[in-house]
Amino acid sequence: MMQASRHAGPASLPIGSDADLAWVRQQVRQAAAELGFGLVQQTKLVTAASELARNTLVHGGGGHVQITPLDAGSSRGLRLAFVDTGPGIRDLDQALTDGYTSGGGLGLGLSGAKRLVQEFEVDSRPGEGTTVTVTAWATVVPPSRTVP
Amino acid sequence: MTGIAGHGPVGGHGFTVPVLQLGDVLLVTLQGELHDGMAEQLQQDITARISHSRVTGVVIDISGVEIVDSFLGRVLAEIAAGAKLLAARTVLAGMRPAVAITLVELGLTLPGLWTALDVERAMELLGVTTRRGEGSP
Ligand SMILES: Nc1ncnc2c1ncn2[C@@H]1O[C@H](COP(=O)(O)OP(=O)(O)O)[C@@H](O)[C@H]1O
Ligand SMILES: [Mg+2]
C-alpha cells in the first residue's frame, strides 16, 4: 500500500475499527498539510473525514477510504472517497437533513461534512453500499479570485 | 459497536486522560487522538468521579485537541448534562480557534456547555481563583 505522504499518490486505508478512524484522521491531516492546506482548512477536512469514516464504520459496517491528492495547475486539492458495501441510504434528502439520525448520533455528520468541503457527492444503492466522495482545495495565498 | 478498543482506557500511542481534583473542581485534560471507545469510557469515569468526590465544577481542557467532531461533541455535551444532574457545572476550556470555526460550520453548538479561553479563566468562572497576582502592582 502506498503512502500518500511520501509519494503524493493515491492511498487506500481500511475502516474497520475506532483505531482505524484515528489513523484516517492522522493520514488526512498529513496529506492536507503537505498539499499546503492552512490550519483551518486542515481542521475542516479532517473533521469531515472523521464524520464520514465513522459513518462508513457504524452505518456501512466498515469499508475503506481512498485518498487522492489532486493537482489542477495552480491549485492543489485532496479527494477522499469513503466506500462501504453496507445497507445503503434509502432516503438521501432525509439523511442530509441536520439532526436526522437513524439511531444514536447527532445527525450532523453527513450534512456537516457537506458544509466543510467544496465538493460533495453521495453514490448509494440500497442493499449494495454507499460511496461518499468529498474534495477540498487548498486556498492559494495570497487569496485568488479564481474558483477552481 | 466496533468490537475492539471498547473497554478501558486503551488505544494506541500510550494515550491517557489525566483527571486532577483541585478543591471542588475536577480538571480533565484531553490531548491528541481520542478513540471513540475511550471517549465513552471517559464519560462514565468522570460522572462516577463527580458523584464520589462531590465536586461542584468540571473543567475540560481541550487546548490539546486538534479536532472535535460530532461524536466527541456529543460526549462532551453528555458529560455536561450528567454533571448538571449531579449539581456540578462544566466549563470547556481552551478550544482552538480552528476547532471553533469548524464546529460552527458543522452545526454543533454545544448548548449547556460553558466555555472559557483557558483553564485559569474556567476556574474563575467556577469561582476558583488560581491567579498568583504576578505582575499586578
Ligand atoms: N455509509 C452509510 N451507510 C448507510 N447509511 C448511512 C451512511 N452514512 C449515513 N447514513 C445514514 O444517514 C444518517 C445521517 O448520517 P449522519 O448525519 O452522519 O448522522 P449520524 O451518524 O449521527 O446518525 C445516518 O443516521 C444513517 O441512517
Ligand atoms: Mg454520522
Side-chain angles (χ1 to χ4, degrees), chain A residues 18 25 50-51 54 115, chain B residues 33 36-37 69-70 105-106:
Chain A
D18 279 9
R25 288 193 288 261
S50 186
E51 296 292 350
R54 185 175 294 101
R115 285 189 288 269
Chain B
E33 272 292 347
D36 291 4
D69 60 18
S70 68
E105 217 150 303
L106 193 63

Side-chain angles (χ1 to χ4, degrees), chain A:
Chain A
M1 201 176 295
M2 263 199 294
Q3 269 195 339
S5 50
R6 295 272 157 180
H7 305 282
S12 177
L13 306 175
I15 300 173
S17 69
D18 279 9
D20 289 343
L21 297 187
W23 183 240
V24 167
R25 288 193 288 261
Q26 283 172 30
Q27 292 300 296
V28 170
R29 161 92 56 189
Q30 192 178 336
E34 281 168 11
L35 286 165
F37 282 63
L39 182 59
V40 172
Q41 290 182 305
Q42 285 177 37
T43 305
K44 287 183 181 183
L45 185 58
V46 175
T47 305
S50 186
E51 296 292 350
L52 297 173
R54 185 175 294 101
N55 282 353
T56 298
L57 178 65
V58 174
H59 303 300
H64 70 274
V65 57
Q66 182 84 23
I67 303 178
T68 312
L70 303 172
D71 194 340
S74 60
S75 55
R76 302 214 279 168
L78 200 58
R79 175 161 295 154
L80 309 173
F82 297 84
V83 182
D84 68 61
T85 52
I89 302 175
R90 218 165 287 123
D91 186 340
L92 189 58
D93 285 342
Q94 186 183 48
L96 276 166
T97 303
D98 274 353
Y100 172 78
T101 177
S102 55
L106 287 181
L108 290 173
L110 212 52
S111 52
K114 186 178 181 183
R115 285 189 288 269
L116 290 170
V117 297
Q118 278 104 340
E119 294 164 36
F120 180 94
E121 192 187 10
V122 180
D123 180 10
S124 187
R125 282 148 224 240
E128 284 179 39
T130 302
T131 297
V132 180
T133 307
V134 299
T135 308
W137 297 93
T139 310
V140 186
V141 181
S144 142
R145 276 172 196 276
T146 48
V147 178

Side-chain angles (χ1 to χ4, degrees), chain A residues 104 106, chain B residues 40 43 47 72-83 113:
Chain A
L106 287 181
Chain B
E40 283 178 329
Q43 182 183 350
T47 310
L72 183 54
R74 180 174 62 98
V75 168
L76 294 172
E78 286 180 0
I79 288 174
L113 267 170

Side-chain angles (χ1 to χ4, degrees), chain B residues 117-135:
Chain B
L117 287 179
D118 53 38
V119 170
E120 191 172 281
R121 279 173 243 222
M123 292 293 191
E124 281 173 11
L125 255 182
L126 293 170
V128 180
T129 310
T130 54
R131 237 179 246 285
R132 308 249 159 82
E134 289 165 284

